[in-house]
C-alpha cells in the first residue's frame, strides 16, 4: 500500500514538472514597446519603454543609423533592468535611434519599434546651404516650392528677390491679390500691386498661384454694405471672379477660388456673407464662374483649388471639405485642394496629415500644401528660440516635406511656405491664434540666414 502511494506521489510531481515546462515554452516573451525619449540634451537622452511580463531585463541598442548597422559603444544590447536608461556620451545636434528587446531566463523577444531622437547640440551647427528648388528639381517627380510674398519685397537685388530666385519656384500673394485689395468699388479694379506680383513671377519663370478669389475675411467694404438684392449680390461676385480670372488668364497658373468656407465647429458651412447672400451652392457657383471665365479667355489649363485649414486635426471639418469636393467633382470644376498647414511643432501628427492628404489622392486631386509654417511657441512658454524647439521644428518640417514628396506624381503641385523671415510672420501677431508672444515659424531668421528648419526641408527630400 505504502509503495503504491509513493509511486502516485512521484508520478504527480513528475507530471507537474512536465506541464510547467510546457507552459513556459508555449508562452513567448512579448515584444516591448519603446516610448519617445525624455530629457533630450546636448549629449544624451533618457530612453524609455513599456514593461513586458515575465521579463527579467531589457537589451537596449542605440545607433546613429536607422538600420542599426553599427552601434554606439556600450549600447549594443546593453542589459538594463529598469524601464528606462539614461544614454550618455553622444554628440550634439545629431540623430540617433534606439530599440529594445525583453529578456527572460530562457528567451529574448523580438525588437521593439525604433525611436528617433535628435540631441539638442549647441548652436552653430552648420546648416546645409543647398537651394530648395534646385534640390527639388533633381527629384524624379519634382513640385513647385512656393513662398508667400508681398509686392514690396520684389525689388531687384533685395535679399528677398535674391532668395526667391535662388530657392523658390512659385509665389502666392500673402494678401495683395484678395478681393478687398483688387476691388475698390463695383466694377472698379486696382491692378497695380497684383500686376506687379504676377509680372515678377512671369518674368522670372516662377509659377504664380492666385490667392484667393473669395474669402470672408477679405470682403471689400462696398460689398459688405451692398444694398441690392441677393441675386444682384451674386452677380457682383460673378463679375469680380470673371474679370479677375480673365485679366490673369495665361499668367496665373492656379487660383484658390474659395478660401475657408467650412466652419471649425461641427463640419458645417461657415456662416459668411457669401452663404447668407448666395446660399449653400455658392462655392460651386464661384468655381463654375472661374472655369467659364478661363475657358472664354482661352485658358483651358487653369487649375482651380479649394483652400482651407486645420482639416487634419478637425475630422468633422475634413469630412465637410471632402463632401464639398465631391460636389465640385460632380460638376467637374475642381482640380485641387489647398491644405494651409499652419502647424505647430507638436501637431498635427504624421498619421493625421497622411490620412487627410490620402483622401485627396483618392479623389485624384492636385495637392497644394499652401501656407506652411510651424509654430514653436503656441503655448507662449519660451522667450527665446531654444535649441530643443529649433530641432523639433526641423524634424516637423522634414516630416511634412517627406510626406509631400511621397505623394504620387500626379497629385503633386506645390508646397508653399507662408513667409520668408521669422520676424515678419503673421503668427505672433494673430489675435485669433492668441499667443501674442514670440514665435519663429519659418525657414529664415530675421537676418535672412537659413535655419535648421531649412535644413530639415532639404533632408525631407532624401
Ligand atoms: C489665412 C489666409 C491667408 C492669410 C493667413 C494669415 O490662412 O488664407 O491668406 O491671410 O490666414 O496670414
Amino acid at each position: 500500500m505504502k509503495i503504491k502511494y509513493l509511486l502516485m506521489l512521484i508520478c504527480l510531481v513528475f507530471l507537474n514538472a512536465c506541464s510547467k515546462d510546457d507552459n513556459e515554452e508555449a508562452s513567448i516573451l512579448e515584444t516591448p514597446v519603446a516610448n519617445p525619449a525624455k530629457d533630450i540634451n546636448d549629449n544624451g537622452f533618457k530612453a524609455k519603454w513599456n514593461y513586458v511580463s515575465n521579463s527579467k531585463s531589457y537589451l537596449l541598442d542605440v545607433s546613429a543609423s536607422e538600420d542599426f548597422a553599427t552601434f554606439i559603444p556600450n549600447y549594443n544590447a546593453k542589459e538594463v533592468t529598469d524601464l528606462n536608461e539614461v544614454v550618455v556620451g553622444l554628440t550634439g545636434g545629431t540623430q540617433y535611434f534606439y530599440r529594445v528587446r525583453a529578456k527572460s531566463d530562457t528567451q529574448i523577444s523580438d525588437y521593439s519599434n525604433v525611436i528617433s531622437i535628435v540631441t539638442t547640440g549647441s548652436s552653430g551647427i552648420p546648416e546645409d546651404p543647398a537651394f530648395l528648388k534646385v534640390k527639388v528639381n533633381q527629384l524624379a517627380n519634382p513640385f513647385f516650392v512656393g513662398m508667400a510674398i508681398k509686392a514690396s519685397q520684389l525689388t531687384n537685388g533685395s535679399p528677398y528677390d535674391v532668395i526667391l530666385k535662388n530657392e523658390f519656384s512659385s509665389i502666392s500673394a500673402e494678401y495683395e491679390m484678395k478681393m478687398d485689395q483688387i476691388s475698390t468699388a463695383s466694377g472698379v479694379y486696382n491692378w497695380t500691386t497684383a500686376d506687379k506680383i504676377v509680372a515678377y513671377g512671369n518674368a522670372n519663370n516662377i509659377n504664380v498661384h492666385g490667392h484667393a478669389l473669395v474669402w470672408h475675411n477679405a470682403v471689400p467694404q462696398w460689398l459688405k454694405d451692398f444694398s441690392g438684392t441677393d441675386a444682384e449680390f451674386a452677380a457682383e461676385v460673378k463679375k469680380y471672379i470673371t474679370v479677375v480670372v480673365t485679366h490673369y488668364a495665361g499668367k496665373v497658373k492656379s487660383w484658390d477660388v474659395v478660401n475657408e468656407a467650412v466652419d471649425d465647429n461641427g463640419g458645417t458651412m461657415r456662416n459668411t456673407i457669401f452663404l447668407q447672400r448666395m446660399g449653400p451652392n455658392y462655392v460651386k457657383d464661384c468655381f463654375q464662374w472661374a472655369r467659364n471665365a478661363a475657358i472664354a479667355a482661352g485658358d483651358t489649363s487653369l487649375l482651380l483649388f479649394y483652400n482651407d485649414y486645420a482639416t487634419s486635426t478637425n475630422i468633422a471639418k475634413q469630412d465637410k471639405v471632402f463632401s464639398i469636393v465631391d460636389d465640385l467633382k460632380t460638376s467637374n470644376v475642381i482640380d485641387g485642394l489647398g491644405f494651409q498647414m499652419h502647424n505647430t511643432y507638436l501637431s498635427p501628427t504624421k498619421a493625421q496629415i497622411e490620412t487627410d492628404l490620402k483622401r485627396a489622392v483618392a479623389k485624384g486631386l492636385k495637392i497644394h500644401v499652401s501656407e506652411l509654417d510651424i509654430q514653436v511657441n503656441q503655448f507662449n512658454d519660451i522667450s527665446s528660440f531654444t535649441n530643443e524647439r529649433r530641432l523639433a521644428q526641423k524634424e516637423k518640417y522634414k516630416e511634412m516635406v517627406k510626406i509631400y514628396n511621397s505623394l504620387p506624381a500626379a497629385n503633386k503641385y506645390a508646397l508653399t511656405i507662408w513667409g520668408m523671415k521669422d520676424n515678419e510672420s503673421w503668427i505672433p501677431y494673430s489675435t485669433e491664434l492668441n499667443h501674442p508672444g514670440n514665435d519663429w515659424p519659418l525657414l529664415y531668421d530675421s537676418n535672412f540666414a537659413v535655419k535648421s528648419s531649412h535644413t530639415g526641408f532639404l533632408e525631407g527630400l532624401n
Side-chain angles (χ1 to χ4, degrees):
M1 206 50 176
K2 264 187 190 159
I3 290 176
K4 200 175 160 196
Y5 274 123
L6 201 65
L7 273 174
M8 268 175 74
L9 203 67
I10 288 169
C11 263
L12 268 175
V13 170
F14 181 75
L15 274 174
N16 196 30
C18 277
S19 69
K20 201 174 165 213
D21 270 4
D22 282 352
N23 273 344
E24 247 185 24
E25 229 126 80
S27 78
I28 292 175
L29 200 58
E30 263 177 60
T31 307
V33 173
N35 296 317
K38 280 265 174 30
D39 306 335
I40 302 171
N41 57 46
D42 286 11
N43 53 29
F45 57 86
K46 187 191 271 181
K48 298 180 67 173
W49 51 89
N50 285 356
Y51 172 73
V52 169
S53 53
N54 297 324
S55 66
K56 293 271 167 63
S57 63
Y58 299 88
L59 304 176
L60 171 67
D61 295 337
V62 182
S63 174
S65 62
E66 201 166 1
D67 59 1
F68 291 84
T70 56
F71 297 91
I72 302 304
N74 304 325
Y75 294 100
N76 179 359
K78 177 172 187 184
E79 188 152 7
V80 180
T81 49
D82 217 337
L83 294 176
N84 60 71
E85 171 75 359
V86 177
V87 176
V88 293
L90 305 179
T91 308
T94 306
Q95 187 168 28
Y96 292 95
F97 303 89
Y98 69 89
R99 64 183 182 188
V100 280
R101 287 170 292 170
K103 193 179 168 204
S104 69
D105 288 337
T106 54
Q107 292 182 57
I108 292 177
S109 76
D110 284 340
Y111 288 107
S112 71
N113 53 313
V114 173
I115 299 288
S116 152
I117 41 275
V118 180
T119 46
T120 54
S122 41
S123 51
I125 297 154
E127 305 298 348
D128 186 342
F131 293 146
L132 302 177
K133 84 165 171 204
V134 172
K135 191 162 178 187
V136 168
N137 286 340
Q138 286 161 355
L139 298 169
N141 300 303
F143 51 86
F144 291 125
V145 186
M147 171 53 63
I149 50 97
K150 304 177 188 62
S152 60
Q153 299 168 336
L154 305 179
T155 313
N156 199 28
S158 71
Y160 297 99
D161 168 64
V162 172
I163 291 172
L164 277 171
K165 288 171 183 163
N166 283 340
E167 301 228 56
F168 295 91
S169 46
S170 181
I171 47 174
S172 301
E174 190 173 347
Y175 64 88
E176 289 157 322
M177 289 176 75
K178 291 172 180 165
M179 195 191 267
D180 61 348
Q181 302 295 305
I182 291 181
S183 174
T184 48
S186 172
V188 181
Y189 308 93
N190 178 3
W191 300 114
T192 316
T193 310
D195 278 1
K196 187 176 169 188
I197 291 169
V198 175
Y200 177 90
N202 291 170
N204 294 298
N205 197 22
I206 294 175
N207 180 65
V208 183
H209 173 69
H211 173 77
L213 292 170
V214 170
W215 185 37
H216 65 279
N217 265 340
V219 182
Q221 196 57 46
W222 71 265
L223 192 61
K224 282 186 192 161
D225 298 340
F226 189 74
S227 58
T229 64
D230 289 349
E232 285 163 348
F233 180 95
E236 289 294 344
V237 175
K238 179 180 180 183
K239 183 166 73 183
Y240 175 78
I241 290 175
T242 306
V243 168
V244 174
V245 168
T246 308
H247 184 80
Y248 289 119
K251 297 176 179 166
V252 165
K253 170 125 179 135
S254 50
W255 271 106
D256 289 330
V257 179
V258 178
N259 191 30
E260 305 180 352
V262 178
D263 200 77
D264 290 333
N265 297 312
T268 53
M269 295 291 285
R270 188 187 289 276
N271 187 15
T272 68
I273 191 170
F274 301 106
L275 182 73
Q276 290 158 12
R277 293 288 231 148
M278 297 161 68
N281 277 332
Y282 87 87
V283 175
K284 191 153 68 179
D285 290 341
C286 291
F287 272 78
Q288 192 65 64
W289 297 330
R291 177 67 79 221
N292 293 349
I295 291 171
D299 184 354
T300 51
S301 55
L302 181 69
L303 300 173
L304 302 182
F305 282 78
Y306 174 79
N307 195 53
D308 217 323
Y309 66 89
T311 52
S312 301
T313 47
N314 184 337
I315 302 305
K317 188 169 180 178
Q318 184 184 114
D319 287 344
K320 183 65 181 173
V321 166
F322 280 99
S323 82
I324 292 175
V325 161
D326 285 341
D327 192 33
L328 296 172
K329 271 191 72 90
T330 310
S331 305
N332 206 16
V333 286
I334 187 170
D335 301 290
L337 206 48
F339 299 81
Q340 292 188 9
M341 298 286 177
H342 295 296
N343 295 347
T344 77
Y345 76 105
L346 297 172
S347 170
T349 64
K350 180 170 180 267
Q352 287 172 324
I353 296 171
E354 282 174 341
T355 305
D356 199 10
L357 300 194
K358 269 187 193 145
R359 288 181 79 169
V361 170
K363 309 241 176 244
L365 295 170
K366 298 238 176 264
I367 294 174
H368 186 192
V369 168
S370 55
E371 306 184 14
L372 180 63
D373 44 32
I374 299 182
Q375 300 168 44
V376 296
N377 197 16
Q378 69 271 28
F379 306 121
N380 213 5
D381 60 340
I382 50 172
S383 53
S384 66
F385 191 31
T386 63
N387 268 330
E388 188 210 335
R389 294 291 159 87
R390 179 170 64 82
L391 291 161
Q393 181 187 53
K394 175 186 175 183
E395 288 306 305
K396 215 61 186 158
Y397 266 101
K398 182 173 166 180
E399 176 184 277
M400 184 70 245
V401 171
K402 240 190 177 128
I403 294 170
Y404 192 83
N405 193 30
S406 307
L407 294 172
N411 303 100
K412 284 183 185 174
Y413 179 58
L415 194 163
T416 296
I417 310 292
W418 206 245
M420 197 175 279
K421 291 161 65 185
D422 278 343
N423 61 319
E424 291 171 352
S425 164
W426 69 292
I427 298 281
Y429 310 104
S430 163
T431 45
E432 260 168 80
L433 292 179
N434 198 24
H435 67 283
N438 294 316
D439 213 320
W440 301 267
L442 300 171
L443 301 185
Y444 304 83
D445 71 13
S446 56
N447 296 314
F448 294 100
V450 289
K451 294 166 54 193
S452 300
S453 47
H454 186 279
T455 305
F457 189 121
L458 290 165
E459 286 178 6
L461 301 168
N462 291 339

